[in-house]
């Protein structure tokens, strides 16, 4: 899975750890920057990031937390 912020492009990667949870490193998302969860996308099933081939699943984040 990879994480995308807005239209910036490939930002970071993560791991699906439950049906509705993605785990990434703390450096991927800086909570101190007052960002909105809705600006991040989780993209899974993408075999080629340079073209859409219909295998991609894209979901917006509804919650961000840093622990």
């Amino acid at each position: 899975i990879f994480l995308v912020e807005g239209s910036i492009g490939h930002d970071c990667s993560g791991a699906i750890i439950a049906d509705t949870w993605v785990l990434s490193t703390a450096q991927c998302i800086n909570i101190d920057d007052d960002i909105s969860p809705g600006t991040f996308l989780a993209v899974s099933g993408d075999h080629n990031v340079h073209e859409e081939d219909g295998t991609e699943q894209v979901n917006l984040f509804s919650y961000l937390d840093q622990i």
Side-chain angles (χ1 to χ4, degrees):
I1 191 166
F2 68 91
L3 312 177
V4 181
E5 181 180 5
S7 60
I8 294 173
H10 182 253
D11 240 10
C12 220
S13 61
I16 300 170
I17 60 171
D19 288 348
T20 59
W21 286 89
V22 172
L23 177 68
S24 67
T25 62
Q27 65 203 32
C28 288
I29 301 170
N30 188 355
I31 299 297
D32 296 333
D33 288 346
D34 193 34
I35 55 174
S36 169
T39 63
F40 279 87
L41 301 173
V43 182
S44 60
D46 195 359
H47 302 287
N48 182 347
V49 297
H50 301 291
E51 65 181 60
E52 290 186 31
D53 59 10
T55 61
E56 304 86 355
Q57 294 182 11
V58 180
N59 293 288
L60 283 174
F61 280 78
S62 59
Y63 177 77
L64 296 173
D65 197 3
Q66 194 172 38
I67 46 176

